[in-house]
Amino acid sequence: MNFCFDDDVWDFRHFIKNSPVKILNFKSIKPEWFRVLVKQYLYSLLKSGRFSASAKPMNSLVALRQFSQILKPNNIHHLPEISRELILAFLDLNQSNCSRTIREKLYILKDFFDFFGLESQSLVRHRDIPKQTIQDVDWLDEITRQRIKQHLDKIPAPVARHYLVQEYTAARPADICQMAFDCLVEENGQWYIKFYQHKVERWHRLPAPREIRQVIEQQQQWIRKTFGSDYPYLFCHFRSIKQSSYPSFPSLKPLPNPPQVTASGNPMVRLIRLLIEQEDIRDSNGQKPCFTGKITRASRLQEVRAKHGMEAAQLYADHLSSETTFQHYAPPTKEQVAVVDLPFQELLLNSQNRFLPWQSLPESLLKNPSSHELDLEISPRLVVYGHCTLDPKTNCIYNLYPKCYGCSSFRPSTSKLPLYEQQYAGEHKRMESAKQAGAALAYEESKATLEAMDKWLSDLRKVANGEAT
């Protein structure tokens, strides 16, 4: 595939293996000198292999294109002329964005400035970056889901089937809206639902039992009858959804386009909301559920975790980390919390140095925490306190002893805080003694231990003293 740096349109396939047909378009970036710098920056990152999918380069291009819009009005002709005032103008330009989007754009700018040797700390300051908050996970409880299914015959069958497929697969709304017509595949006598995950740009498949296959096959028959053999999607959009038409919807018209993804425009979300309102569906607390397209994902993964455990929920969602599943989709229910009796403190530290409830840990650790406990005494003086999330039946593949305190699988416990404090003070003394004696190896070992403990010890103190928020 031919590539020319001077071209203003680049094909991703030149950089990323098996990339879909997507492009980077630099034409609208002005002035010209800034466009060249943006191309140099993205070219370096793409060639480095830092990006394995097109989403991040696209987001970088969008942020830098927006930043370029404030250069010309301010008569900026060279990179060193970029000032703090331009960053504030960029923040004003993006004030309507959500906090997460603003964070991402500012980090892109910081990385861009660092690449060209600018003082990014003086341009983008820590206080500019919005704090990231993780909201409590919402899901439909079992009572709500049962009542919705009891009344699905009140809404058009194609839309009801959309709900059933999305609820079963736990796929993101955009992935369901663009699910291919031929999503059912058979391999070695087993049936699967195959769909493309647009956010992470990879294919995912799930086992397809007879009940969900029948739903999909009925939808396929309806699509072929309605749009013919050329329509490529399993679901379609609808217009003329009126509350006054419930439940017959005589003017509902199917359109040969995939459903809109946004909750306000998605036909399935609108009709399920209408169903909840008209049939007065309540959850287990007697409240009307706030239904969105996204809520079906958390609902299904919560169900999978309750029945089969966290690892099953992680595999079902195709998450690379169980922490993603736990934080955003499947935290434990109150019933699960009530039946677990854990003999050590309920707050531990995860690999990102954020405190999480102990229920996010592997099922084996919850059932038999003593088997994961470290408390390793390594002659003559090294001791490791805490717990490890790795399988206790296998040797540590990272071979980090006694460097556990810096390992992502290590979990310090608040109950062991006095031991950590004693060890921290001892390592300080050892480091000073080694420095005076010129014992370079002992000095580096103590320094590495202290640096690792510095990442979590202060937060552990706050949690142990009830000061954490």
Side-chain angles (χ1 to χ4, degrees), residues 323-338:
E323 291 172 7
T324 301
T325 316
F326 173 81
Q327 289 184 38
H328 302 289
Y329 299 102
T333 63
K334 292 180 180 179
E335 293 75 16
Q336 288 174 309
V337 174

Side-chain angles (χ1 to χ4, degrees), residues 134-148:
I134 300 177
Q135 303 295 330
D136 292 338
V137 178
D138 290 326
W139 62 76
L140 299 173
D141 60 22
E142 182 64 23
I143 291 177
T144 304
R145 284 184 284 147
Q146 288 179 358
R147 291 175 179 172
I148 288 176

Side-chain angles (χ1 to χ4, degrees), residues 7 10 28-29 37 78 109 123 166 171 184 186 228 260 275 303 330 339 408 466:
D7 291 343
W10 293 356
S28 59
I29 296 181
L37 295 182
H78 303 283
L109 284 185
L123 294 173
Q166 183 162 323
L184 286 178
E186 183 182 13
Q260 293 183 13
L275 182 72
E303 180 184 30
V339 299
S408 63

